[in-house]
Amino acid sequence: MPVSVGRCSVRQCALPRALAALLMLLGAALCSAASIHGVVTDTTGAKVSGAAVLLVSNGKVVASTVSEADGSFQILTGISGRFFLVVSAKSFRQLQTPDFFAGRFNSIQRNLVLEPAWVRQSIVVTATGTPTPEAQTSAAISVLGPTDLARHIGLGNELRMMPGTFVVQDGQLGSQTSLFVRGGDSNDNMVMLDGVDIGDLGNEFDFGNLSTTAIQSAEVYRGPDSNLYGAGAMTSVVNMTTPHGTTSFPSLLFQGSAGNLNTSREQLELAGAHKKFDYLGAFSWLQTSNDLPRDQFHLATSAANLGWQPTGNTQIRAIVHYAVSATGVPNAWNFYHVADNATQKNQNIFLSASISNQTIAAFHQSLTYGLVRKREQYSLWKQSGSGAFDAYGDSLGYPVTITGANGYSVSGQAILDYAQKYPYQTQLASNRDEVFYKGDLTFSPHLAALVAFNFEDERGLENVPTYSTHETTQRTNYNYIASVHGDIKTRFFYTLGGSLEHYSLFGTQTSPRAGLSFYALRPRSGAFSGTRILFNFGDAVREPDLTDQFGSLHHFLVANGYQAVANQLHIGPLAAPAVRTYQGGVSQSFFSSRVMFTVNYFHNQFGREIEYVGGRLLPKLVPGLTPAQQQQLASALGFYYADNYGLAVNTEAYRAQGIEADVQSGIGRYIFLRGGYTWLDAVVERSFDSDNEALAGGYEPTYNGIPIGALSPLVGSRPFRRPPSTGYFTATYDAKRLSASFTSAFASRSNDSTFLEYQDANGGNSLLLPNLDLDHGYAELNLGGSYQLFSGLAIFIQANNLLNDQHIAPIGYPSLPMTVRTGLRMGWGIRKHH
């Protein structure tokens, strides 16, 4: 079979393969040609022969070939410029690669992985640190692609459409939105953008002011991943990416929409590529009045992505996102029936600058600098209320009746705002600069290794002028990372790794991880078309956040001149909260991979969790203290001991286990269905926060004899806002001109509190309710679609919360009612996908 470029040709059938390859490279050099080569495999690593590989430039196919019996392919081209590959084979979904630059004499390696035609198995990064087919990992991972995010303002709704996740939004659009994964806390997630950690110090992250503008995809890895990403990756990693320009001419995209509640959103995007450069710029503006008084919200987001490829194997890229938001904070409306006169403003800058190089075919390395600047200002401008006050001048809400999903109810008036100096303001700042080096070496198609080093300098600020509080911190952390991953006969896949981490706040930690998967039945045709067994083990830690650090027992003693007492009683800084996870599961394909069912069991053991324990109990908790030393600590605590105010210590532990089930299937070329269910069994094993009143011999809140955890769950009960049953179902239709999607999320009742401890009109606890099943279960149904009128113009509509369910938010916070947005999408010069 002859292969020719110009006048140069090689007759492969007459020569050994190695010699043929050498002659082809020599021919390419003589003809000033670039060589694009690689191997085509399926998601399990099996070679795919006969796959058609097209090389496309400026919208035209400039060269093509067919993969050999061993899956290998090679294309030679005598032109330089920007290219992408389109690959197709029977029973596989057509693949289009990201574009790349290739110049004369360049040798570009692109290994191609084809996905099954009927189900979705993506190339993922968060599982191993390098691009790896999902089917070759043991990870529990879900991917949100451009189709999933196209019509949505934020990620909140889409994060509900996967197993093991639960999203809590304390109010309506723009309010605090938190992610809980597998029973973990909301700050147990590492949230990343283009490889940079964008969470607050201590990993708090608010999805409520994050726009989908200039976000192309998001991977959600469920499980501990501190071995690759350091402190914070305790129960998940959310890894988002920014698109880049691809067309050889400027392409312009405009989207504009409007809906009820005075909601409007406009977005403009300009992108393109010229020779070695590519560029993208985007801006969006969102505003809404929401459905409550004093709850207006607006969000402006800007983004830019600039790339330069000096050679075919080296890329330099800089990406920046800048977002400014402001929202009203009406508070828990159902508890007061009057809105606070308050606002919260956020300013966030995220920057990623990287250089990556394919040094040799088997070795890739990259160096990334990340910058994060986050500012948050909360202002309660003046005292609000119904006009009624308690004996201390605290303003009260209107008389209300609060009824929980458990059927219990209370009536009364709650304290809304205290009598104090106004405006009451707080400012938080999180600054992070980090440098991350990563090198991955492929020893063979069955073995690869990764080494990495991460250094970060963090600075934080908490300022409360009303109380003359101005606290700052600086943390210097670094991690050494090493892992290997590979397979044995493309049947047994493994990932083994660990990290040695040093944190200035709490010292040195290690985070091992092991992941194994085994194909008991290889993918094939038939009713039972593939069985994969999965196992994962890992440890992970996280840093305390700013509030916990500044509110800790150790910090209190040091800040108030009792450093000697802290040293003498061996009271140190807060330790790192930690988790140990075991996971096992099975993934089964049916009917020639047209249906895939996956079930996972997970067991998380959380320890050294941070809670606020009353001052009267703290002397009894510190181990090994004599009665005289207990009295010494009580004296140092002063009014914190006398009034039983809380300070942060590592005294909580709990367990969370559960089962995740997910099924997906394609019907024909255009319809894709997916559904799932998660059962969660979580229980608090040790806590001194809500229990400290009883333990210290004080007053324990009750409701007709039922003990109540006013501020945190009691020992033996479920953690707050983590329902035992959640589920989802999605159906998408994606044809040439018409696309539509139906998504639904379901949740059972969950434990919670009204948090109105000592908050009734008499300073009592009459507005507390039993924790069990206090939050309502809910069903959220969403429907959207778009229609391409003609090239460059489409109309779309998105309707959320079709059932008008007011209980999607936790107790006290009415959810956003049904909303409908409709709009236009206009594009000029947008490249069509093949």
Side-chain angles (χ1 to χ4, degrees):
M1 169 181 169
V3 178
S4 63
V5 179
R7 300 177 183 176
C8 304
S9 67
V10 176
R11 187 166 296 277
Q12 288 180 299
C13 60
L15 295 169
R17 183 176 302 277
L19 181 58
L22 176 61
L23 292 177
M24 291 185 74
L25 291 174
L26 291 174
L30 291 174
C31 297
S32 301
S35 168
I36 296 95
H37 55 92
V39 178
V40 183
T41 65
D42 65 15
T43 55
T44 70
K47 306 299 189 290
V48 177
S49 62
V53 184
L54 310 179
L55 182 67
V56 182
S57 179
N58 293 327
K60 298 180 180 179
V61 177
V62 297
S64 64
T65 190
V66 176
S67 61
E68 301 288 344
D70 64 352
S72 63
F73 73 92
Q74 184 174 35
I75 297 178
L76 304 178
T77 177
I79 63 175
S80 62
R82 302 195 72 85
F83 304 92
F84 62 91
L85 297 171
V86 176
V87 192
S88 58
K90 185 179 179 180
S91 300
F92 293 97
R93 185 179 294 114
Q94 188 179 74
L95 169 69
Q96 178 177 305
T97 70
D99 67 317
F100 56 91
F101 173 81
R104 294 181 175 182
F105 308 110
N106 284 165
S107 177
I108 309 296
Q109 182 173 3
R110 287 292 183 271
N111 293 327
L112 308 172
V113 180
L114 296 179
E115 302 177 8
W118 309 104
V119 296
R120 296 180 180 178
Q121 291 182 321
S122 304
I123 305 297
V124 296
V125 177
T126 49
T128 62
T130 59
T132 305
E134 184 181 347
Q136 296 182 29
T137 74
S138 59
I141 193 165
S142 302
V143 178
L144 301 174
T147 303
D148 300 306
L149 304 177
R151 291 182 296 273
H152 292 284
I153 293 172
L155 270 73
N157 283 338
E158 289 304 302
L159 289 173
R160 292 187 173 103
M161 307 301 160
M162 56 190 68
T165 63
F166 186 66
V167 175
V168 175
Q169 188 166 16
D170 290 337
Q172 303 189 355
L173 196 60
S175 62
Q176 175 75 37
T177 304
S178 305
L179 174 66
F180 297 80
V181 178
R182 291 183 166 183
D185 286 330
S186 60
N187 53 0
D188 289 343
N189 314 296
M190 171 74 76
V191 181
M192 305 179 71
L193 180 60
D194 301 306
V196 174
D197 175 10
I198 61 172
D200 297 349
L201 272 65
N203 277 86
E204 289 284 354
F205 190 84
D206 180 9
F207 287 93
N209 53 46
L210 177 69
S211 171
T212 55
T213 299
I215 294 180
Q216 176 176 256
S217 64
E219 294 180 18
V220 182
Y221 174 98
R222 303 186 303 281
D225 218 0
S226 280
N227 68 298
L228 286 178
Y229 300 103
M234 286 183 65
T235 59
S236 81
V237 176
V238 181
N239 187 16
M240 298 170 287
T241 59
T242 302
H244 65 269
T246 57
T247 56
S248 59
F249 44 84
S251 61
L252 190 65
L253 175 66
F254 171 78
Q255 296 184 80
S257 62
N260 60 329
L261 304 179
N262 301 311
T263 303
S264 64
R265 185 175 188 255
E266 297 79 35
Q267 178 174 314
L268 185 65
E269 180 181 296
L270 175 67
H274 179 68
K275 295 182 179 180
K276 300 181 180 183
F277 295 90
D278 65 78
Y279 54 90
L280 177 141
F283 174 79
S284 69
W285 171 263
L286 165 69
Q287 63 181 16
T288 181
S289 62
N290 280 315
D291 193 41
L292 294 175
R294 300 172 181 170
D295 199 19
Q296 293 83 5
F297 170 61
H298 70 254
L299 171 62
T301 303
S302 306
N305 187 345
L306 303 176
W308 178 48
Q309 285 187 259
T311 70
N313 291 313
T314 301
Q315 178 175 260
I316 300 173
R317 184 164 299 279
I319 308 171
V320 62
H321 287 246
Y322 176 54
V324 178
S325 65
T327 183
V329 189
N331 209 326
W333 169 267
N334 289 340
F335 293 165
Y336 312 104
H337 288 177
V338 61
D340 258 335
N341 193 342
T343 58
Q344 181 168 313
K345 300 180 180 180
N346 294 271
Q347 305 88 38
N348 299 325
I349 301 175
F350 309 132
L351 170 68
S352 170
S354 64
I355 178 170
S356 61
N357 175 255
Q358 189 80 34
T359 310
I360 57 176
F363 182 58
H364 175 267
Q365 57 183 334
S366 63
L367 183 66
T368 301
Y369 165 70
L371 176 147
V372 173
R373 300 291 185 268
K374 303 186 74 172
R375 303 288 184 272
E376 176 184 323
Q377 304 93 33
Y378 169 81
S379 300
L380 180 57
W381 296 105
K382 63 181 181 179
Q383 191 175 23
S384 306
S386 62
F389 297 88
D390 66 9
Y392 301 98
D394 305 322
S395 62
L396 305 176
Y398 287 102
V400 296
T401 296
I402 304 171
T403 302
N406 51 21
Y408 295 107
S409 65
V410 290
S411 298
Q413 284 181 280
I415 297 173
L416 178 63
D417 294 331
Y418 290 114
Q420 61 183 9
K421 180 182 177 181
Y422 287 92
Y424 169 80
Q425 296 179 305
T426 63
Q427 293 103 32
L428 294 174
S430 291
N431 300 324
R432 182 182 298 109
D433 294 274
E434 66 174 312
V435 177
F436 185 68
Y437 169 81
K438 179 173 68 176
D440 57 270
L441 177 63
T442 302
F443 295 99
S444 76
H446 304 287
L447 178 62
L450 177 144
V451 294
F453 174 76
N454 175 255
F455 172 83
E456 60 183 12
D457 178 57
E458 299 180 317
R459 288 91 60 202
L461 163 70
E462 183 179 60
N463 184 30
V464 186
T466 301
Y467 298 131
S468 301
T469 299
H470 186 89
E471 304 273 13
T472 61
T473 186
Q474 181 167 8
R475 306 173 182 177
T476 302
N477 311 321
Y478 55 87
N479 305 333
Y480 299 94
I481 299 163
S483 68
V484 294
H485 62 275
D487 69 271
I488 300 174
K489 296 184 177 180
T490 63
R491 190 163 191 149
F492 179 83
F493 296 89
Y494 59 88
T495 300
L496 303 172
S499 61
L500 178 65
E501 310 157 23
H502 178 79
Y503 301 97
S504 60
L505 193 62
F506 50 78
T508 301
Q509 301 284 328
T510 58
S511 298
R513 175 174 169 254
L516 308 172
S517 68
F518 172 69
Y519 276 91
L521 179 65
R522 291 179 183 273
R524 61 179 185 177
S525 300
F528 293 91
S529 49
T531 304
R532 188 161 61 108
I533 300 172
L534 314 171
F535 172 77
N536 279 287
F537 162 80
D539 287 347
V541 297
R542 70 169 171 85
E543 290 185 291
D545 62 29
L546 291 177
T547 301
D548 291 339
Q549 179 184 349
F550 298 142
S552 70
L553 172 60
H554 176 266
H555 184 82
F556 173 87
L557 294 174
V558 172
N560 288 277
Y562 294 102
Q563 175 76 65
V565 174
N567 294 341
Q568 181 181 353
L569 303 183
H570 304 289
I571 298 173
L574 289 173
V579 65
R580 171 163 291 179
T581 295
Y582 299 91
Q583 173 196 317
V586 176
S587 181
Q588 176 68 55
S589 298
F590 299 95
F591 309 113
S592 303
S593 296
R594 283 173 168 80
V595 178
M596 179 175 291
F597 174 75
T598 302
V599 60
N600 280 304
Y601 166 78
F602 61 86
H603 186 284
N604 295 332
Q605 186 63 53
F606 296 90
R608 301 198 303 251
E609 292 293 317
I610 297 170
E611 59 179 353
Y612 284 78
V613 177
R616 293 179 190 169
L617 187 60
L618 285 172
K620 302 177 183 179
L621 286 180
V622 178
L625 297 189
T626 65
Q629 290 173 325
Q630 290 182 2
Q631 184 58 49
Q632 182 185 17
L633 179 56
S635 299
L637 289 172
F639 70 90
Y640 270 74
Y641 179 83
D643 296 329
N644 203 30
Y645 291 144
L647 290 168
V649 288
N650 298 101
T651 54
E652 186 183 46
Y654 68 98
R655 178 263 295 155
Q657 64 178 346
I659 296 175
E660 300 171 345
D662 177 88
V663 61
Q664 56 177 296
S665 175
I667 301 177
R669 296 180 56 189
Y670 306 122
I671 299 175
F672 181 73
L673 307 175
R674 187 175 185 183
Y677 169 79
T678 300
W679 169 76
L680 176 67
D681 173 32
V683 62
V684 176
E685 298 169 320
R686 184 179 67 247
S687 171
F688 297 102
D689 182 359
S690 289
D691 291 343
N692 75 76
E693 296 278 9
L695 291 168
Y699 173 68
E700 180 182 18
T702 61
Y703 179 94
N704 293 334
I706 301 174
I708 296 173
L711 303 179
S712 70
L714 298 171
V715 171
S717 62
R718 299 195 305 260
F720 290 166
R721 300 182 178 180
R722 270 151 275 195
S725 293
T726 56
Y728 61 92
F729 174 76
T730 70
T732 59
Y733 176 85
D734 194 5
K736 185 176 181 180
R737 303 187 70 174
L738 174 66
S739 67
S741 67
F742 170 78
T743 63
S744 55
F746 312 91
S748 64
R749 294 181 294 182
S750 56
N751 288 15
D752 207 344
S753 175
T754 63
F755 296 99
L756 297 175
E757 185 179 42
Y758 305 120
Q759 294 291 300
D760 65 20
N762 299 312
N765 291 324
S766 65
L767 294 178
L768 292 175
L769 284 169
N771 305 122
L772 180 64
D773 291 340
L774 187 60
D775 286 342
H776 289 266
Y778 65 81
E780 180 186 24
L781 309 183
N782 310 311
L783 182 65
S786 65
Y787 183 75
Q788 195 79 28
L789 295 173
F790 49 82
S791 179
L793 179 62
I795 58 174
F796 67 90
I797 187 170
Q798 182 66 41
N800 290 341
N801 194 11
L802 298 177
L803 299 179
N804 205 38
D805 194 328
Q806 295 290 288
H807 297 300
I808 299 173
I811 189 169
Y813 296 90
S815 302
L816 198 65
M818 186 178 76
T819 61
V820 179
R821 284 189 306 116
T822 185
L824 294 174
R825 181 184 298 112
M826 296 180 286
W828 295 268
I830 304 298
R831 188 179 76 196
K832 295 291 184 183
H833 290 279
H834 294 261

